[in-house]
């Protein structure tokens, strides 16, 4: 009899502690509870089928506080939220933010400390975060570990890169979860600084597909005053545990109450297009803190950049790697410096002639002779040009042509140095009318011992965005921690790199043809990417016959990337003279906008193909991009996204009949036809190929 009473009591406790919250459509459900040791846990169902098994939650603090067990539920409440908001720049002009929320306040009666866990459930996914309320027994504290679990239901196919605390610039691996092993990777991949944290540690966002066709993506949103989360896998149980990037002395995060963690997110659907369509990451960030956003504008640009990657010119003036090629320490020009006044004016002329907004110039400022690999504190001052670059002449000339200059700040990882000089650097930008800066963080971080993905650096990247906003300047960061939707809060954070970009095709083993079919399912979920597409001279042997490197796409696919890889900051990355040889294909780059009012994902499968149509923010024109992996592809798409009762002129930029990313990448064909919303178009994509289409209404 006594045994039966105990069992009944345990059952009643579990019922009392059990909570659940559903998505607005009721298709997704999060079930929360405490086990008999007071350990918080959750599981997720999609239409009554488990997609995340029971997973435990919690954190550990440096003072010994164990926020993983010993809890009771003090209170809980649910609420519903539904709004439509308008992003400053984006894939669509209006975004719906609709979710149901569950807030559970937990208390450890042994020490009278409290922790809240907040769940938000959207139709496309689940998010949770930790909240540390103001309380007498917890004020300043240090997080030593976060043990959020994501226990999956099977050995899913996954698209992953290693959990590197310093870089995301890897090509993706497509394997089962059980085959994830960072020790099997070829690390001769062109990445300068690597800090891989474990054999089975991967980065988020992690894209997966179950054997029964459920797509899952584990990521995070609103990473503010907190380190980046990586994921540590148990290859036998298929369970992931959060792994926070440490600082120089091994701590994870310094916080004080009240505060919150970033959101941990799981996007879930049986349709891959829903992953790409999801705005959950954006919706989990705070609204814009910039009242007047009229100065934040999309930009298409050219620049002195690719010519350095292909070896035509150099970033440095003296052609030396020791910063002093004479005994008097006076730099002597090597004759290969790219950022000269004359060369910049040539790019300005090209931009003005073809209607581009801006010109980027890298290597304009002193310090490039010994900028990399020396862990040097004071590398650049961000205000002193080389002798052959006249700031005033260049900017006066650009202004006369109606072109804006884009500043470049390479920090070489010396973040402390950059912060010391930041205000003076911004003053120089404002003096000469630069609207935007491209920042770079190549190399090991200073303060020494910090990682690119630690709390210190996350705070730095966000700080720069805030200070730039104070000065009405836009920022495009390279080698930064990957974005997590913070550009909703500071929309002047217009783009970032934070992944393996097009540049790797110039001097390394490059990016495989499937690379661009994965990035929209991973890196781009957190924000726009400055991928720098538009390379027309595909093979590097054009510049040096001994070179075997090449871009791993066809020319037509390079055009399609302007539509499939969203960014309000788009570069026509190749050299002007290479575009002059193919002005018919270049026309698409000139025509395609960088800001949109509507987006329709038509077909999608991670690692295989993507087809997307987007409507121009400021006109009735539509643009379509379709890309494939290393396999040729034929498909037929409906044009029902076009406005009914209208005729359109469709200009189709497609792979030539003999096109092949490896054998004949520059083969392309252009044709013009008339279509309506009732039309269908057959797409013929070569290996590593693509199609780009512009649709212009016929009056």
């Amino acid at each position: 009899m006594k045994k039966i009473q105990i069992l009944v009591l345990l059952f009643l406790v579990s019922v009392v502690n059990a909570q659940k919250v559903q998505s607005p459509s009721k298709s997704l459900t999060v079930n929360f509870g405490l086990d008999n040791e007071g350990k918080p846990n959750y599981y997720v169902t999609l239409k009554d089928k488990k997609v995340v098994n029971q997973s435990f939650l919690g954190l550990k603090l440096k003072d010994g506080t164990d926020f993983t067990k010993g809890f009771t539920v003090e209170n809980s409440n649910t609420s519903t939220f539904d709004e439509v908001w308008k992003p400053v720049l984006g894939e669509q002009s209006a975004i719906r933010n609709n979710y149901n929320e569950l807030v559970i306040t937990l208390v450890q009666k042994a020490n009278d400390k409290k922790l809240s866990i907040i769940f938000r459930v959207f139709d496309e996914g689940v998010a949770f975060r930790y909240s540390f309320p103001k309380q007498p027994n917890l004020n300043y504290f240090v997080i030593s570990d976060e043990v959020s679990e994501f226990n999956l239901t099977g050995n899913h196919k996954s698209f992953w890169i290693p959990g590197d605390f310093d870089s995301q610039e890897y090509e993706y691996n497509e394997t089962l979860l059980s085959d994830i092993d960072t020790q099997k990777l070829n690390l001769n991949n062109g990445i300068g600084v690597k800090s891989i944290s474990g054999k089975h540690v991967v980065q988020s966002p992690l894209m997966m597909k179950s054997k029964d066709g459920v797509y899952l993506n584990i990521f995070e949103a609103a990473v503010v005053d907190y380190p980046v989360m990586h994921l540590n896998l148990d290859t036998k149980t298929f369970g992931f545990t959060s792994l926070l990037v440490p600082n120089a002395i091994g701590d994870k995060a310094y916080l004080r109450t009240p505060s919150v963690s970033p959101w941990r997110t799981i996007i879930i659907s049986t349709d891959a297009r829903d992953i790409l369509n999801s705005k959950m990451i954006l919706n989990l960030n705070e609204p814009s803190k910039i009242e007047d956003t009229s100065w934040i504008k999309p930009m298409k640009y050219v620049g002195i950049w690719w010519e350095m990657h292909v070896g035509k010119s150099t970033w440095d003036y003296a052609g030396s790697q020791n910063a002093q090629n004479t005994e008097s320490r006076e730099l002597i020009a090597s004759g290969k410096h790219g950022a000269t006044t004359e060369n910049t004016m040539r790019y300005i002329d090209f931009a003005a002639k073809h209607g581009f907004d801006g010109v980027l110039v890298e290597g304009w400022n002193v310090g490039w002779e010994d900028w990399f690999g020396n862990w040097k504190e004071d590398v650049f001052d961000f205000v002193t040009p080389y002798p052959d670059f006249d700031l005033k002449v260049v900017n006066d000339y650009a202004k006369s042509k109606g072109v804006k200059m884009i500043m470049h700040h390479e920090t070489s990882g010396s973040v402390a140095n950059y912060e010391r000089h930041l205000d003076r650097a911004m003053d120089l930008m404002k003096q000469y009318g630069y609207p935007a800066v491209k920042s770079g963080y190549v190399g090991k971080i200073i303060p020494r011992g910090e990682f690119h993905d630690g709390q210190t650096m996350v705070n730095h990247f966000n700080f720069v965005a805030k200070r730039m906003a104070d000065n009405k300047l836009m920022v495009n960061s390279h080698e930064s921690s990957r974005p997590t939707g913070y550009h909703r809060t500071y929309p002047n954070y217009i783009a970032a790199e934070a992944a393996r970009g097009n540049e790797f095709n110039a001097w390394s083993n490059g990016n495989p043809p499937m690379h661009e079919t994965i990035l929209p399912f991973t890196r781009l979920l957190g924000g726009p990417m400055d991928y720098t597409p538009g390379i027309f001279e595909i093979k590097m042997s054009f510049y040096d016959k001994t070179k075997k490197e090449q871009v791993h796409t066809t020319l037509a696919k390079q055009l399609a990337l302007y539509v499939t890889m969203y960014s309000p900051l788009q570069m026509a990355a190749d050299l002007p003279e290479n575009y002059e040889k193919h002005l018919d294909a270049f026309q698409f780059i000139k025509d395609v906008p960088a800001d949109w009012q509507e987006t329709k994902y038509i077909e999608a499968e991670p690692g295989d193909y993507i087809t997307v149509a987007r409507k121009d923010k400021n006109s009735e024109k539509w643009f379509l991009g379709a890309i494939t992996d290393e396999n040729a592809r034929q498909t037929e798409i409906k044009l029902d996204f076009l406005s009914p009762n209208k005729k359109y002129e469709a200009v189709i930029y497609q792979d030539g009949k003999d096109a092949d990313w490896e054998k004949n990448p520059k083969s392309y064909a252009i044709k013009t036809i008339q279509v309506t919303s009732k039309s269908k178009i057959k797409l013929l994509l070569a290996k590593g190929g693509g199609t780009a289409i512009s649709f212009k209404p016929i009056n």
Side-chain angles (χ1 to χ4, degrees):
M1 184 67 178
K2 188 175 181 181
K3 184 176 182 181
I4 293 172
Q5 287 176 334
I6 292 172
L7 289 173
V8 170
L9 181 62
L10 289 175
F11 175 74
L12 288 173
V13 169
S14 67
V15 170
V16 170
N17 288 330
Q19 310 276 341
K20 77 175 183 178
V21 59
Q22 292 184 306
S23 63
S25 69
K26 299 189 180 342
S27 60
L28 276 173
T29 304
V30 172
N31 296 268
F32 172 84
L34 296 177
D35 74 358
N36 296 328
E37 295 181 54
K39 294 181 178 179
N41 61 87
Y42 75 102
Y43 67 90
V44 182
T45 59
L46 173 65
K47 296 178 181 177
D48 298 323
K49 181 179 181 179
K50 271 192 181 180
V51 289
V52 179
N53 286 327
Q54 183 184 46
S55 302
F56 287 92
L57 300 171
L59 309 101
K60 295 183 178 181
L61 308 188
K62 193 174 183 179
D63 66 3
T65 300
D66 187 350
F67 273 158
T68 67
K69 60 185 178 180
F71 286 111
T72 58
V73 174
E74 182 177 76
N75 61 66
S76 66
N77 61 77
T78 59
S79 60
T80 296
F81 188 83
D82 195 357
E83 70 167 359
V84 175
W85 61 279
K86 295 184 177 181
V88 178
L89 306 169
E91 296 179 86
Q92 53 201 61
S93 57
I95 294 174
R96 187 181 183 191
N97 186 10
N98 183 206
Y99 59 82
N100 292 326
E101 182 176 88
L102 169 65
V103 181
I104 308 109
T105 300
L106 305 173
V107 61
Q108 290 180 329
K109 292 183 178 179
N111 55 27
D112 197 28
K113 290 182 179 179
K114 296 180 181 181
L115 174 71
S116 295
I117 301 177
I118 306 170
F119 287 95
R120 288 182 182 174
V121 188
F122 302 76
D123 281 339
E124 76 266 36
V126 171
F128 65 86
R129 80 184 331 175
Y130 303 99
S131 175
F132 307 93
K134 189 73 176 174
Q135 52 194 293
N137 294 332
L138 192 66
N139 190 5
Y140 292 92
F141 61 101
V142 179
I143 291 179
S144 58
D145 205 5
E146 180 187 326
V147 288
S148 303
E149 293 181 352
F150 308 86
N151 293 323
L152 304 175
T153 59
N155 192 13
H156 304 332
K157 179 168 68 173
S158 63
F159 301 87
W160 60 275
I161 56 177
D164 188 324
F165 292 165
D166 272 316
S167 179
Q168 314 88 0
E169 295 180 313
Y170 291 86
E171 60 184 85
Y172 280 86
N173 304 277
E174 180 180 343
T175 73
L176 295 175
L177 292 174
S178 59
D179 293 327
I180 288 177
D181 186 345
T182 63
Q183 293 181 359
K184 293 181 179 179
L185 299 180
N186 176 12
L187 296 180
N188 184 24
N189 52 14
I191 299 173
V193 176
K194 306 181 186 74
S195 303
I196 297 176
S197 52
K199 184 176 181 180
H200 303 302
V201 179
V202 298
Q203 296 193 35
S204 73
L206 175 68
M207 186 67 211
M208 295 167 288
K209 183 182 181 182
S210 70
K211 292 177 181 177
D212 55 355
V214 177
Y215 298 88
L216 300 102
N217 186 288
I218 301 175
F219 193 23
E220 59 181 337
V223 179
V224 179
D225 195 23
Y226 210 82
V228 167
M229 177 185 73
H230 294 269
L231 299 166
N232 197 359
L233 172 66
D234 185 324
T235 55
K236 293 183 172 59
T237 65
F238 316 124
F240 286 97
T241 304
S242 58
L243 176 65
L244 301 183
V245 177
N247 65 12
I249 61 173
D251 296 330
K252 305 299 172 58
Y254 298 92
L255 302 175
R256 66 174 299 184
T257 57
S259 57
V260 293
S261 76
W263 293 97
R264 280 64 185 95
T265 65
I266 315 168
I267 305 175
I268 305 164
S269 180
T270 55
D271 189 334
R273 295 174 298 176
D274 292 340
I275 308 295
L276 300 177
N277 270 316
S278 174
K279 295 295 176 282
M280 193 171 88
I281 302 301
L282 263 183
N283 282 330
L284 289 164
N285 280 264
E286 292 185 18
S288 174
K289 293 184 181 295
I290 304 173
E291 290 186 12
D292 173 21
T293 58
S294 61
W295 51 275
I296 302 173
K297 299 182 183 298
M299 294 186 75
K300 292 198 315 191
Y301 70 104
V302 296
I304 299 174
W305 176 76
W306 187 249
E307 64 181 66
M308 283 85 96
H309 285 287
V310 300
K312 179 184 176 184
S313 60
T314 63
W315 280 271
D316 62 301
Y317 172 82
S320 166
Q321 283 300 311
N322 60 18
Q324 49 221 10
N325 54 5
T326 67
E327 290 183 5
S328 62
R329 298 189 179 183
E330 292 181 5
L331 299 179
I332 299 174
S334 67
K336 289 198 69 177
H337 186 217
T340 67
T341 301
E342 181 182 6
N343 196 29
T344 304
M345 292 170 73
R346 183 173 72 93
Y347 276 83
I348 292 170
D349 287 340
F350 182 81
K353 178 181 177 181
H354 295 287
F356 283 80
D357 303 296
V359 172
L360 167 75
V361 180
E362 294 198 9
W364 67 275
N365 55 325
V366 298
W368 286 90
E369 280 72 22
D370 67 343
W371 72 285
F372 176 74
N374 296 311
W375 223 357
K376 182 180 175 184
E377 180 85 16
D378 299 312
V379 188
F380 302 103
D381 68 7
F382 311 101
V383 295
T384 306
Y386 277 122
D388 57 354
F389 187 80
D390 191 314
L391 270 168
K392 187 176 188 310
V393 169
V394 164
N395 285 276
D396 286 349
Y397 189 73
K399 188 175 181 180
S400 73
K401 295 283 187 173
V403 173
K404 296 285 188 181
M405 298 301 297
I406 297 175
M407 178 55 73
H408 183 240
H409 292 161
E410 175 55 61
T411 69
S412 71
S414 186
V415 178
N417 179 58
Y418 188 39
E419 290 188 358
R420 284 194 295 270
H421 289 85
L422 185 60
D423 282 359
R424 282 167 285 182
M426 290 188 295
D427 287 344
L428 185 75
M429 289 178 63
K430 290 187 290 183
Q431 177 185 346
Y432 289 107
Y434 285 79
V437 62
K438 174 183 175 181
S439 59
Y441 295 86
V442 176
K444 290 191 279 187
I445 296 298
I446 299 175
R448 295 175 179 87
E450 297 292 339
F451 296 109
H452 285 73
D453 283 354
Q455 183 186 26
T456 294
M457 286 305 297
V458 166
N459 288 348
H460 167 78
F461 299 129
N462 292 345
F463 167 76
V464 170
K466 292 176 185 178
R467 289 296 292 127
M468 291 285 174
D470 292 340
N471 289 272
K472 294 189 175 182
L473 299 170
M474 298 184 291
V475 60
N476 162 31
S477 63
H478 281 229
E479 297 87 32
S480 63
S481 57
R482 77 282 187 280
T484 57
Y486 194 64
H487 63 290
R488 179 186 179 188
T489 310
Y490 282 91
N492 67 311
Y493 202 161
I494 190 172
E497 183 190 40
R500 193 175 178 89
N502 219 3
E503 67 194 69
F504 279 83
N505 289 309
W507 37 259
S508 75
N509 56 4
N511 306 332
M514 74 172 183
H515 188 64
E516 295 91 352
T517 70
I518 300 172
L519 283 171
F521 287 96
T522 52
R523 159 65 185 81
L524 273 84
L525 291 178
M529 182 179 177
D530 187 25
Y531 188 70
T532 60
I535 304 302
F536 280 14
E537 201 57 71
I538 302 288
K539 293 181 179 289
M540 299 307 109
S541 57
F542 173 81
Y543 305 99
D544 182 342
K545 291 182 180 179
T546 65
K547 289 186 175 182
K548 296 181 180 179
E549 294 83 4
Q550 72 161 97
V551 179
H552 291 58
T553 75
T554 64
L555 188 151
K557 185 175 179 179
Q558 287 291 305
L559 299 180
L561 294 177
Y562 285 93
V563 187
T564 64
M565 302 277 286
Y566 166 68
S567 179
L569 181 74
Q570 289 281 21
M571 185 180 197
D574 211 336
L575 310 185
E577 53 266 35
N578 292 338
Y579 290 133
E580 295 284 0
K581 293 182 290 186
H582 304 282
L583 288 176
D584 53 351
F586 186 58
Q587 187 63 45
F588 183 82
I589 301 179
K590 293 171 61 174
D591 291 340
V592 67
D595 197 19
W596 309 97
Q597 62 173 294
E598 194 174 350
T599 290
K600 301 285 187 183
Y601 284 97
I602 299 169
E603 303 174 307
E605 183 65 30
D608 292 337
Y609 55 84
I610 294 174
T611 302
V612 59
R614 304 188 195 269
K615 188 178 183 181
D616 178 24
K617 186 78 160 281
N618 301 305
S619 75
E620 292 299 307
K621 296 177 183 177
W622 282 82
F623 294 81
L624 181 142
I627 61 173
T628 186
D629 60 2
E630 69 279 4
N631 299 303
R633 185 166 188 267
Q634 298 184 24
T635 185
E636 184 176 72
I637 61 166
K638 297 178 181 179
L639 303 184
D640 52 6
F641 53 84
L642 299 174
S643 298
N645 305 316
K646 279 188 178 182
K647 290 183 179 180
Y648 291 80
E649 178 187 81
V651 183
I652 303 171
Y653 303 78
Q654 61 189 15
D655 294 314
K657 292 181 179 179
D658 56 348
D660 181 294
W661 75 267
E662 195 170 18
K663 298 176 182 177
N664 196 14
K666 290 174 65 175
S667 174
Y668 65 90
I670 303 172
K671 66 178 181 180
T672 302
I673 61 174
Q674 283 192 14
V675 297
T676 69
S677 62
K678 296 181 180 180
S679 302
K680 297 178 181 179
I681 289 184
K682 289 184 177 180
L683 303 179
L684 304 175
L685 281 61
K687 294 178 179 179
T691 299
I693 307 176
S694 64
F695 299 92
K696 180 181 178 181
I698 300 172
N699 295 325

